[in-house]
Amino acid sequence: MTTTLGQAPIADHTTNSTPQPHAAEPTTGDFSPEEVLLASRNHAMPLELLRWNRTPAGMHYLVMHWDVPMVDPVSWRLKIGGEVAEPLEFSLADLRLRERVSMGVTLECAGNGRTFLKPRPVSQPWLHGGVSTAEWTGTPLTPLMDEAGLRPDSVELVFSGADRGFQGGVAHAYERSLPVRTAISGGLLLAYEMNGQPLLPQHGFPVRLVVPGWYGMASVKWLHSIEAITHAFDGFQQRFAYRLQQDADDPGEPVTRIRVRSLMAPPGIPDFASRRPIVPAGETILVGRAWSGYGPIKSVHVSVDGRWLPAQLDEPDGRHAWQGWSCSWQAEAGDHELICRAEDTVGNIQPLEPEWNYQGMGNNAVQRLQVTVLPSVSDGTVLP
Ligand SMILES: Nc1nc2c(c(=O)[nH]1)N[C@H]1C(S)=C(S)[C@@H](COP(=O)(O)O)O[C@H]1N2
Ligand SMILES: [Mo]
């Protein structure tokens, strides 16, 4: 039986069997129309935006499992309940009157880099652009939970979004949990502004969660409920999606923090169709950004045709935002392969080759960029 994106086979009503939810079988070859539709709805950040420390809202990468829900900001309420002494409810105005914090946070989709895996896990077909850094403004979660009075036996907080759909053949709302300790001491923000403007509908208007250091799936958009529970949450997005599995039946490990990665802004000027960078010979300053959800960046190295050079790191930009780097390259005419590779201060380093897993999660293998250097480039230059 053929399966479409993330959808289990439809139940066979003649035998009354219930389908088990699981992701679609990995594949090779052409992209399906479904993958192309996902890729056009959920767009990447163009890599030249790596030259900016903050990503403009319209260029920020985008992931929506389903449709953008229409949320009325006037009647919207955030409910805090479950295992708390006092359930609370906040309007948008209530949240805006509370302590206001702004911070640059790098969000990255756990599926970023998925397309480089072979066979290709069938889902949002990211190349490298599933990452961005916005300035998020909102109110910290911790004081709200203190007011609600978290019961000592609560182990997780469940964050619910207003969007619903089918995935793995199962209807559900987008919900993710975090261990209480991460939720309370992780610097989480209930964000109502992105780059100084109210959230755009597609980024979670009116309020979203921002979880610094974690892959994007934790940062629940269109947030309307936070519930403390005394067991491990087993909603679809927790139990089946976002797992590092070897096959469909492997329960796997949960995807959590962002693995160390660096990316390079394309040097020179691109070719329209192939997007291959064309660079004039001479000194080129290669620039990019590096980040890790496990700790600060220790170093970035750049390889030109296998020869590694240390990059210079910019000043860190807060605790949760990517860090700029640059590296001078004396470009000589010909075709070259450029690679960048980051290491964080707790000893994580980017693998040189992708590590395959069934859902294509957390592929932080180094970026390899094929570039052409011409003796000079001016208007009218024709590619050899
Ligand atoms: N409610 C809801 N929250 C969500 C999602 C979603 O589909 N629904 N997608 C998640 C995923 S997988 C990612 S990577 C980030 C993307 O956030 P962005 O679209 O603002 O870049 O949102 C997360 N929060
Ligand atoms: Mo994601």
Side-chain angles (χ1 to χ4, degrees), residues 13 17 19 26 54 58 142 167 176 218 228 255 280 290 294 297 326 341 356:
H13 294 290
S17 68
R54 295 288 177 271
T142 309
Q167 196 180 333
R176 289 276 315 177
V255 172
Y294 289 91
I297 293 300
S326 60
R341 189 183 199 192
W356 192 89

Side-chain angles (χ1 to χ4, degrees), residues 60-63 65 109 163 174 203 208 216 219 221-222 242:
H60 194 285
Y61 88 91
L62 182 65
V63 180
H65 284 234
C109 182
D163 52 333
Y174 190 90
H203 289 294
R208 78 174 302 169
S219 293
K221 303 196 276 190
W222 311 293
Y242 303 104

Side-chain angles (χ1 to χ4, degrees), residues 25 43 77 82 95 120 127 141 188 216 315 323 370:
E25 283 293 318
H43 63 77
R77 294 289 180 277
L95 291 185
R120 175 177 88 242
L127 295 165
L141 173 65
L188 276 62
E315 284 299 308
Q323 190 170 359
Q370 315 299 326

Side-chain angles (χ1 to χ4, degrees), residues 25-85:
E25 283 293 318
T27 188
T28 53
D30 293 346
F31 285 87
S32 65
E34 287 92 339
E35 286 172 289
V36 175
L37 179 58
L38 269 186
S40 58
R41 286 180 56 86
N42 298 323
H43 63 77
M45 182 195 74
L47 293 191
E48 62 271 29
L49 270 285
L50 288 162
R51 294 177 184 275
W52 277 256
N53 65 341
R54 295 288 177 271
T55 315
M59 294 288 222
H60 194 285
Y61 88 91
L62 182 65
V63 180
M64 305 174 298
H65 284 234
W66 305 302
D67 293 352
V68 180
M70 197 166 187
V71 182
D72 171 17
V74 177
S75 57
W76 176 88
R77 294 289 180 277
L78 174 67
K79 293 193 169 75
I80 300 184
E83 300 296 317
V84 294

Side-chain angles (χ1 to χ4, degrees), residues 113-195:
R114 170 178 291 133
T115 300
F116 300 105
L117 300 179
K118 289 186 178 69
R120 175 177 88 242
V122 178
S123 183
Q124 167 70 18
W126 294 119
L127 295 165
H128 282 125
V131 61
S132 298
T133 302
E135 185 81 8
W136 298 97
T137 299
T139 198
L141 173 65
T142 309
L144 274 78
M145 297 312 300
D146 287 345
E147 279 168 44
L150 206 51
R151 294 231 168 89
D153 55 345
S154 41
V155 295
E156 293 190 356
L157 297 189
V158 181
F159 300 90
S160 303
D163 52 333
R164 289 176 67 77
F166 277 84
Q167 196 180 333
V170 183
H172 57 281
Y174 190 90
E175 296 182 309
R176 289 276 315 177
S177 74
L178 287 169
V180 161
R181 210 157 69 93
T182 305
I184 294 308
S185 53
L188 276 62
L189 212 55
L190 303 174
Y192 45 74
E193 286 176 15
M194 178 184 191
N195 297 339

Side-chain angles (χ1 to χ4, degrees), residues 143-313:
L144 274 78
M145 297 312 300
D146 287 345
E147 279 168 44
L150 206 51
R151 294 231 168 89
D153 55 345
S154 41
V155 295
E156 293 190 356
L157 297 189
V158 181
F159 300 90
S160 303
D163 52 333
R164 289 176 67 77
F166 277 84
Q167 196 180 333
V170 183
H172 57 281
Y174 190 90
E175 296 182 309
R176 289 276 315 177
S177 74
L178 287 169
V180 161
R181 210 157 69 93
T182 305
I184 294 308
S185 53
L188 276 62
L189 212 55
L190 303 174
Y192 45 74
E193 286 176 15
M194 178 184 191
N195 297 339
Q197 301 290 326
L199 299 187
L200 292 170
Q202 66 270 36
H203 289 294
F205 179 82
V207 173
R208 78 174 302 169
L209 187 65
V210 172
V211 185
W214 280 58
Y215 278 117
M217 75 281 155
S219 293
V220 174
K221 303 196 276 190
W222 311 293
L223 182 70
H224 66 84
S225 153
I226 303 174
E227 214 188 302
I229 58 173
T230 54
H231 56 274
F233 178 60
D234 74 345
F236 184 92
Q237 297 297 331
Q238 202 81 23
R239 184 162 163 212
F240 298 105
Y242 303 104
R243 314 281 307 186
L244 299 160
Q245 305 167 279
Q246 283 313 303
D247 57 58
D249 302 321
D250 176 6
E253 289 297 314
V255 172
T256 59
R257 292 182 175 276
I258 300 176
R259 292 176 171 173
V260 62
R261 192 202 282 276
S262 57
L263 289 173
M264 193 183 317
I269 56 175
D271 176 47
F272 170 62
S274 67
R275 297 214 56 82
R276 188 182 181 95
I278 313 295
V279 182
E283 188 187 29
T284 289
I285 308 293
L286 300 172
V287 300
R289 306 214 171 249
W291 59 96
S292 165
Y294 289 91
I297 293 300
K298 180 178 156 199
S299 67
V300 174
H301 284 81
V302 173
S303 153
V304 180
D305 304 324
R307 200 167 55 86
W308 291 94
L309 308 164
Q312 210 165 347
L313 295 181

